[in-house]
Amino acid sequence: MKIHREGLASILLTFAVLALINGAVFYFLGHMPLLCRIVAGFSLVLFLFIISFFRIPKRDMKLDESLVIAPCDGKVVVIEETYEPEYFKDKRLQVSIFMSPANVHVNRNPISGQVKLSQYHAGKYLVAWHPKSSTENERHTVVIGNGKTDILVRQIAGALARRIVNYLKPGMQVTQNEELGFIKFGSRVDIYLPVGTPVSVELEQVVRGGQTVIATI
């Protein structure tokens, strides 16, 4: 397991703040050992959680040009036909994956191909499972085309996630399962597929980025 580069600043800041808090508690309240131990224990748990949030577990990635692979870890919360207003401007099959704070938060390319769109949008911070979060929350939209089809991937900030990182630029050639970006804390990723695309997941299914097959092209 590795630690993602996006987490280095957050981990160092968390360590510094917790060190100051614990130093002050032990200095001023050293005569209350139980309280000091409680604060130290809580600090350790919080620090380990922050580290785990930015983890990149080692796993075998599935590579197949005929498949759409999950761009992130999480739970499938939406599978439905809906109108996509930003790029396609027609009806698409939407598959949405909710990422809890406990999930791995690296986002990956679901297919290989050329980046046709990479667009950031400022917005609200509705809870990630809210129906309007796809169009009203802070988000970043990417469209990847491989000659057979175009897939839209939308990173969506949730109530806790206040920073979306995206590494793709229009015109780039990208490879399936390479890093697309990162979302800090709870969030959601939407995938828009052509209507009629055979989907391999079900509602409430837990998926793993880079491994779970979402659909067949």
Side-chain angles (χ1 to χ4, degrees), residues 4 24 54 57 59 69 101 148 162:
H4 198 279
F54 293 102
R59 61 179 57 164
I69 306 299
K148 294 181 180 179
R162 299 299 176 104

Side-chain angles (χ1 to χ4, degrees), residues 82-133:
T82 186
Y83 181 78
E84 197 293 301
E86 181 178 356
Y87 182 82
F88 296 114
K89 296 180 173 59
D90 63 11
K91 185 169 285 190
R92 294 279 148 168
L93 179 59
Q94 176 184 339
V95 178
S96 298
I97 302 169
F98 173 71
M99 306 162 65
S100 76
N103 286 127
V104 174
H105 273 58
V106 177
N107 299 157
R108 301 184 180 279
N109 302 316
I111 62 173
S112 299
Q114 183 179 49
V115 179
K116 296 187 174 182
L117 175 73
S118 182
Q119 181 65 53
Y120 169 80
H121 301 274
K124 300 178 181 179
Y125 296 99
L126 303 172
V127 290
W129 57 84
H130 194 287
K132 293 186 177 180
S133 64

Side-chain angles (χ1 to χ4, degrees), residues 76-192:
V76 178
V77 293
V78 174
I79 302 176
E80 65 181 16
E81 291 185 10
T82 186
Y83 181 78
E84 197 293 301
E86 181 178 356
Y87 182 82
F88 296 114
K89 296 180 173 59
D90 63 11
K91 185 169 285 190
R92 294 279 148 168
L93 179 59
Q94 176 184 339
V95 178
S96 298
I97 302 169
F98 173 71
M99 306 162 65
S100 76
N103 286 127
V104 174
H105 273 58
V106 177
N107 299 157
R108 301 184 180 279
N109 302 316
I111 62 173
S112 299
Q114 183 179 49
V115 179
K116 296 187 174 182
L117 175 73
S118 182
Q119 181 65 53
Y120 169 80
H121 301 274
K124 300 178 181 179
Y125 296 99
L126 303 172
V127 290
W129 57 84
H130 194 287
K132 293 186 177 180
S133 64
S134 294
T135 55
E136 295 188 8
N137 274 23
E138 178 184 359
R139 58 202 181 278
H140 196 113
T141 301
V142 168
V143 176
I144 302 173
N146 64 358
K148 294 181 180 179
T149 189
D150 292 343
I151 304 297
L152 185 150
V153 182
R154 181 170 291 134
Q155 299 169 283
I156 302 169
L160 293 178
R162 299 299 176 104
R163 186 180 177 209
I164 296 175
V165 181
N166 190 284
Y167 307 129
L168 307 190
K169 304 293 183 185
M172 288 178 61
Q173 291 290 333
V174 297
T175 302
Q176 191 175 52
N177 296 329
E178 285 183 345
E179 287 190 20
L180 176 151
F182 196 95
I183 312 177
K184 294 190 175 182
F185 302 101
S187 44
R188 167 173 157 172
V189 175
D190 290 350
I191 310 165
Y192 288 85

